[in-house]
Amino acid sequence: MIIAPSLLASDHTRFGREVERASRSGADWLHLDIMDGHFVPNISFGPEVVRAVRPLSKLFFDVHLMCSKPDILLEPFAKGGADQITIHVELGEAVAPLIWKIKSLGKKVGLAVNPPTPIATVQPYLAMIDCLLVMTVNPGFGGQSFIYETLPKIQQADIWRRELKLAYRVEVDGGINHQTAGECAAAGADTFVSGTTLFKAPNLRAAVKKMRKAVNEHDPALADLAITEHRPDHPQLAL
Ligand code: DX5
Ligand code: ZN
């Protein structure tokens, strides 16, 4: 399993320290939410922030682009230190060329699907991606409540993965707490983004550990899954 604290919920007056705190927390990835004020009604931060914090951490940087025109942003984020770049399936015809461009930059590819968008829209791309991000809230803000109607989409994503013998990760993002992480694991998710629950906890390390335990209780098989995506200079983590 992968636990990915979302930097959006960290203390924005001290991004550097917060990235270091996440690095020491026992988490596997750092999730970085990029919002453009157009695809979603909020603005977060850009490639310069990613570049600035990159030297502070060896965590895998999972960059989630909630942007209408990601084409112009792929190279800056790749150069800034993203390990995986996720775009949204709602971009329609732009999706396939964006996937190929992310691949050509040597980065892992994520594809996200919003709660109101049918899961069938991701089907044509499944063989091309490393990670399928099932949004469990409407994107734009941290701290929202988990939308339970998204659970069947997680199940479908996992069913396709097994039927098609593909290896993409099934990632969930939005309203993930210790309870909903377990429920998502039971539905087939293996990668858990969590902002408020982890960064606002009194002890980030303890919160990560508790989330890992909650996931294991729902799906012990995930405990045996080693991380395959790791930075070259980062020791393989045994989970
Ligand atoms: C929502 C973002 C999420 C957000 C999750 O638009 O994509 O990554 O940071 O925050 P929580 O865990 O607080 O719902
Ligand atoms: Zn996100």
Side-chain angles (χ1 to χ4, degrees):
M1 98 186 64
I2 299 284
I3 305 286
S6 171
L7 195 61
L8 191 69
S10 73
D11 179 348
H12 289 213
T13 65
R14 36 195 287 160
F15 265 147
R17 296 255 177 95
E18 291 291 75
V19 170
E20 287 169 345
R21 197 159 70 94
S23 299
R24 291 192 306 268
S25 70
D28 309 293
W29 290 4
L30 185 69
H31 185 82
L32 300 112
D33 286 303
I34 314 301
M35 303 175 178
D36 67 351
H38 187 265
F39 187 80
V40 289
N42 197 4
I43 291 178
S44 58
F45 49 87
E48 280 306 307
V49 172
V50 177
R51 193 184 58 79
V53 299
R54 178 70 277 184
L56 304 175
S57 174
K58 289 184 175 174
L59 288 176
F60 182 96
F61 275 16
D62 177 29
V63 173
H64 176 194
L65 298 184
M66 288 158 273
C67 304
S68 298
K69 293 192 173 175
D71 188 40
I72 52 170
L73 298 168
L74 297 180
E75 203 168 321
F77 280 109
K79 285 191 174 151
D83 293 297
Q84 172 165 285
I85 302 179
T86 296
I87 51 144
H88 269 261
V89 75
E90 290 79 16
L91 299 176
E93 283 178 0
V95 170
L98 287 166
I99 288 176
W100 290 113
K101 186 158 179 189
I102 297 168
K103 283 181 186 290
S104 75
L105 291 164
K107 303 301 173 186
K108 300 243 182 228
V109 177
L111 185 63
V113 55
N114 282 340
T117 306
I119 191 70
T121 56
V122 304
Q123 216 175 356
Y125 309 106
L126 293 177
M128 302 176 213
I129 63 174
D130 299 290
C131 187
L132 179 60
L133 172 50
V134 179
M135 289 303 301
T136 44
V137 299
N138 288 306
F141 301 92
Q144 303 181 74
S145 296
F146 183 85
I147 299 174
Y148 274 88
E149 287 76 9
T150 59
L151 281 175
K153 296 166 83 173
I154 300 165
Q155 287 166 336
Q156 184 61 67
D158 185 41
I159 288 168
W160 280 332
R161 179 166 57 174
R162 279 184 274 121
E163 280 178 358
L164 302 168
K165 296 190 172 33
L166 293 171
Y168 57 81
R169 292 197 159 275
V170 176
E171 185 176 30
V172 286
D173 181 11
I176 301 298
N177 55 34
H178 303 296
Q179 168 77 22
T180 56
E183 288 164 338
C184 288
D190 53 60
T191 301
F192 306 85
V193 176
S194 178
T196 308
T197 295
L198 297 183
F199 266 109
K200 302 279 192 252
N203 183 323
L204 178 55
R205 172 169 269 276
V208 168
K209 193 172 174 191
K210 189 173 164 193
M211 188 165 287
R212 214 180 278 291
K213 189 161 172 270
V215 169
N216 279 339
E217 275 164 10
H218 277 79
D219 190 349
L222 286 178
D224 300 328
L225 280 184
I227 297 177
T228 49
E229 302 85 358
H230 62 285
R231 298 183 68 75
D233 55 347
H234 190 38
Q236 186 88 7
L237 296 175
L239 297 181

